[in-house]
Amino acid sequence: MNIDESSILKNLRDPSTVRVGFPMLVKQFSQSLYWKIRQIVLSHDDADDVLQNTFIKVWNNLDQFEGKSSLSTWLYRIAINESLDFLRKKKQELDIDIDADVSVANRLLADDFFDGDEMQALLQEAISRLPEKQRVVFNMKYYDGMKYSDMSKILGTTEGALKASYHIAVQKITEFLKAHH
């Protein structure tokens, strides 16, 4: 069931109904945010953790939402930043290499929540090797079909820089897939 963003916002802005509005927001955006986060962090458990962190951050910063962008754009920006923060922390904790002997593709193929084939797992492997910004831009364009103008609002980067990042990401992914197929 889709709930109108304006009715969610109305409830969030009124202290007497904020506890009604927040569950509406969570219900409306949980699934789409989960998949956007999952594209970045890859694992189901990690995506669940990041989604929870995203909603905690949203709750703690409700008063900072000024309505200059849509509610979904604001949520998406927080989710991406939380995902990237999570990856940076994980990278530090595991001293740069996550399971050095087990590739992303092998981990995905062993994940009960992953329903793709070997080629899709290799694509995810290639995407996971991209620098964070290129990975986010590639996912937004390739999977979400997002316009560069919308990406620019979410990521705070020029459209030209985003196009360049996407082009470089596609080249790197193509080279990886050629070498591994």
Side-chain angles (χ1 to χ4, degrees):
M1 176 183 101
N2 273 4
I3 305 164
D4 184 2
E5 261 193 42
S6 61
S7 64
I8 294 173
L9 271 174
K10 196 175 123 213
N11 282 305
L12 289 175
R13 290 213 162 104
D14 182 343
S16 68
T17 57
V18 72
R19 293 196 180 276
V20 172
F22 193 72
M24 288 168 70
L25 175 137
V26 170
K27 185 175 179 157
Q28 177 69 19
F29 293 102
S30 279
Q31 192 172 9
S32 62
L33 287 177
Y34 167 85
W35 287 109
K36 288 177 189 348
I37 292 166
R38 177 91 188 256
Q39 287 172 350
I40 300 170
V41 302
L42 298 179
S43 124
H44 166 72
D45 291 339
D46 290 347
D48 262 358
D49 291 346
V50 173
L51 181 62
Q52 284 191 339
N53 292 343
T54 298
F55 282 124
I56 290 167
K57 189 160 238 177
V58 167
W59 175 258
N60 290 333
N61 292 285
L62 278 175
D63 57 335
Q64 291 178 19
F65 178 69
E66 298 169 354
K68 290 179 181 170
S69 64
S70 69
L71 186 57
S72 55
T73 297
W74 184 66
L75 294 169
Y76 198 3
R77 186 180 306 131
I78 291 171
I80 288 171
N81 288 330
E82 285 297 305
S83 300
L84 295 176
D85 285 349
F86 174 85
L87 287 180
R88 283 184 208 109
K89 286 178 195 153
K90 190 166 187 171
K91 212 172 182 180
Q92 287 168 348
E93 283 170 19
L94 298 172
D95 198 27
I96 311 303
D97 210 347
I98 302 167
D99 298 334
D101 56 333
V102 183
S103 72
V104 166
N106 289 337
R107 286 204 320 271
L108 280 174
L109 290 170
D111 183 340
D112 292 338
F113 291 94
F114 180 71
D115 59 0
D117 60 15
E118 192 176 345
M119 193 61 197
Q120 288 169 309
L122 271 177
L123 174 60
Q124 289 305 317
E125 175 86 41
I127 294 168
S128 76
R129 291 168 181 257
L130 294 171
E132 290 166 356
K133 195 81 167 202
Q134 285 176 17
R135 183 184 328 165
V136 169
V137 170
F138 180 82
N139 283 332
M140 291 169 108
K141 187 74 182 152
Y142 183 79
Y143 288 110
D144 301 335
M146 194 175 284
K147 295 179 188 153
Y148 288 111
S149 57
D150 293 334
M151 278 192 244
S152 178
K153 288 176 198 156
I154 291 167
L155 299 173
T157 309
T158 66
E159 290 182 42
L162 293 167
K163 287 176 185 173
S165 285
Y166 182 75
H167 180 70
I168 293 166
V170 169
Q171 284 180 314
K172 288 179 181 176
I173 289 168
T174 304
E175 286 166 19
F176 178 89
L177 292 176
K178 279 182 188 170
H180 291 85
H181 195 64

